[in-house]
Amino acid sequence: MQSFVTRHLNRRGVPLAIAMCASLLVVACSGSASPAVSGPASTVAPAGQTSSVPAGGAGAADCPSSALTHFCGHMAVSGGVAKEADVDASWPSFGIKDCAGWLKGDSDDPTLLDLPAPDFATGLNLDATIMHYTGAGTYDVKDFVGSMGGFQVVVGHDGWTTSAATTGSATVNADGSGTLQAKGLEPVGDVNTVQQPVDVTMSWTCVN
């Protein structure tokens, strides 16, 4: 049986694995701080700057057409860095046939549910899996994990992850839509060019 990390990286794909290695655990993964993430650089915001996301996911009419079940919506990071990107993700490698299938959790372990994220090329990435998943409902960020430990956010070449002080939750609705709010993600070590914490908000819709 595959380990959680192996299954998770297989589902998320090589680009995100490279991003997490380079941006979040660069010392542990490679022993250097050479960035390997492509995309727009981080935009440093004044301390306390905030950014908002609509409370609900985008409507189905607002989502781009696709032959695959996919997610669309919006994600924003605020605080030490300000960055926003649309969520437009389809994950054929996950074996998702429809939104109801995604809501059942991971095919190998239904107590895990991967949250959608912006496309890798936007320069804004999210690596978050709900553990102890039991179906539609609200889950505390302390039940989130990522490929490298706690759930992670990458902006440009910088990464942030959960700490004991991080608060927030994700709500997964019965139709596959949902929202995420997390406050106080901490920078990953001294490799970050921005050392202030960030907050994250996201909303999404699942479209068959």
Side-chain angles (χ1 to χ4, degrees):
M1 180 178 292
Q2 290 180 320
S3 68
F4 165 74
V5 170
T6 301
R7 291 199 311 273
H8 191 81
L9 290 179
N10 286 342
R11 293 196 305 271
R12 288 292 188 184
V14 173
L16 185 53
I18 294 173
M20 294 305 163
C21 180
S23 301
L24 299 181
L25 291 177
V26 63
V27 173
C29 292
S30 66
S32 69
S34 299
V37 182
S38 61
S42 306
T43 301
V44 179
Q49 179 170 333
T50 60
S51 180
S52 61
V53 173
D62 300 322
C63 293
S65 61
S66 172
L68 300 169
T69 294
H70 64 289
F71 300 88
C72 66
H74 196 71
M75 176 179 167
V77 174
S78 59
V81 166
K83 178 75 175 179
E84 299 188 30
D86 288 334
V87 175
D88 181 12
S90 58
W91 299 328
S93 62
F94 285 18
I96 297 173
K97 295 181 179 179
D98 52 32
C99 297
W102 175 71
L103 284 165
K104 292 178 181 178
D106 182 78
S107 58
D108 291 329
D109 184 350
T111 67
L112 302 175
L113 182 74
D114 287 316
L115 295 184
D119 186 90
F120 176 77
T122 64
L124 177 59
N125 294 280
L126 173 73
D127 184 15
T129 296
I130 297 174
M131 294 189 73
H132 314 301
Y133 175 72
T134 57
T138 299
Y139 296 86
D140 191 275
V141 292
K142 293 179 175 59
D143 284 323
F144 295 0
V145 293
S147 302
M148 306 298 179
F151 96 86
Q152 301 103 16
V153 171
V154 175
V155 180
H157 304 307
D158 287 341
W160 288 261
T161 190
T162 49
S163 71
T166 305
T167 60
S169 63
T171 296
V172 179
N173 300 316
D175 62 358
S177 64
T179 57
L180 165 68
Q181 293 186 343
K183 293 182 178 293
L185 277 76
E186 296 293 333
V188 179
D190 296 333
V191 299
N192 266 30
T193 59
V194 178
Q195 286 295 312
Q196 293 86 359
V198 300
D199 302 334
V200 179
T201 55
M202 182 172 71
S203 62
W204 72 87
T205 296
C206 185
V207 181
N208 289 317

